[in-house]
């Protein structure tokens, strides 16, 4: 069983329409595994992707982009995480986003504004009120 994971429909080309499941918690620890659901056969496969892998995290925000899945924030059970990664669906690879990190937060939501080519991130909990 798993909680606080993310799941989005992603893909381009032959991977179009696949569902990516990432991270979450098994109740004891944060996870950073990646699964792909092939919607034509309805079978899950655990992906072995190249490094760098995102740090294990739960409660992160995730949003489908034209090229894959963007994962931001979340926590590992000890601290909030401010890193962000993109899963590139065409080549089944994670890539860390460089630049100014956003505020570490858990439980936020994100959406992609395709018209403007930007991601909007809202809310979440940073350990303080």
């Amino acid at each position: 069983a798993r909680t606080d994971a993310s799941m989005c429909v992603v893909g381009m080309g032959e991977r179009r329409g696949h569902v990516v499941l990432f991270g979450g918690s098994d109740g004891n620890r944060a996870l950073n595994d990646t699964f792909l659901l092939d919607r034509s056969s309805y079978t899950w496969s655990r992906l072995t992707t190249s490094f760098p892998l995102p740090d294990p995290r739960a409660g992160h925000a995730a949003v489908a982009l034209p090229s894959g899945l963007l994962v931001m924030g979340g926590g590992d059970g000890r601290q909030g995480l401010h890193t962000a990664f993109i899963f590139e669906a065409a080549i089944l690879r994670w890539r860390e986003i460089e630049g100014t990190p956003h505020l570490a937060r858990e439980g936020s939501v994100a959406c992609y504004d395709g018209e403007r080519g930007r991601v909007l991130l809202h809310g979440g909990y940073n350990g303080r009120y």
Side-chain angles (χ1 to χ4, degrees):
R2 156 184 322 244
T3 63
D4 295 324
S6 61
M7 187 182 309
C8 291
V9 177
V10 301
M12 294 171 49
E14 69 181 45
R15 299 201 191 287
R16 185 180 183 101
H18 282 54
V19 177
V20 175
L21 170 72
F22 171 74
S25 171
D26 65 6
N28 295 312
R29 61 190 172 94
L31 306 168
N32 69 340
D33 47 3
T34 307
F35 290 86
L36 186 69
L37 175 67
D38 181 332
R39 291 186 351 172
S40 64
S41 64
Y42 290 98
T43 56
W44 285 101
S45 57
R46 184 176 183 161
L47 299 180
T48 54
T49 60
S50 62
F51 290 93
L53 292 174
D55 300 316
R57 63 188 67 213
H60 51 277
V63 62
L65 302 175
S67 62
L69 176 70
L70 172 63
V71 171
M72 301 171 285
D76 63 7
R78 297 181 310 275
Q79 63 183 355
L81 303 171
H82 62 78
T83 54
F85 287 79
I86 291 180
F87 178 73
E88 298 173 293
I91 57 176
L92 303 178
R93 184 183 71 172
W94 285 100
R95 176 174 52 91
E96 186 169 5
I97 297 175
E98 303 294 329
T100 306
H102 66 298
L103 178 67
R105 64 181 82 196
E106 298 179 49
S108 57
V109 294
C111 65
Y112 176 65
D113 178 355
E115 193 170 299
R116 293 183 178 93
R118 65 181 179 181
V119 173
L120 304 171
L121 180 67
H122 176 74
Y125 174 68
N126 67 355
R128 294 172 278 178
Y129 288 101

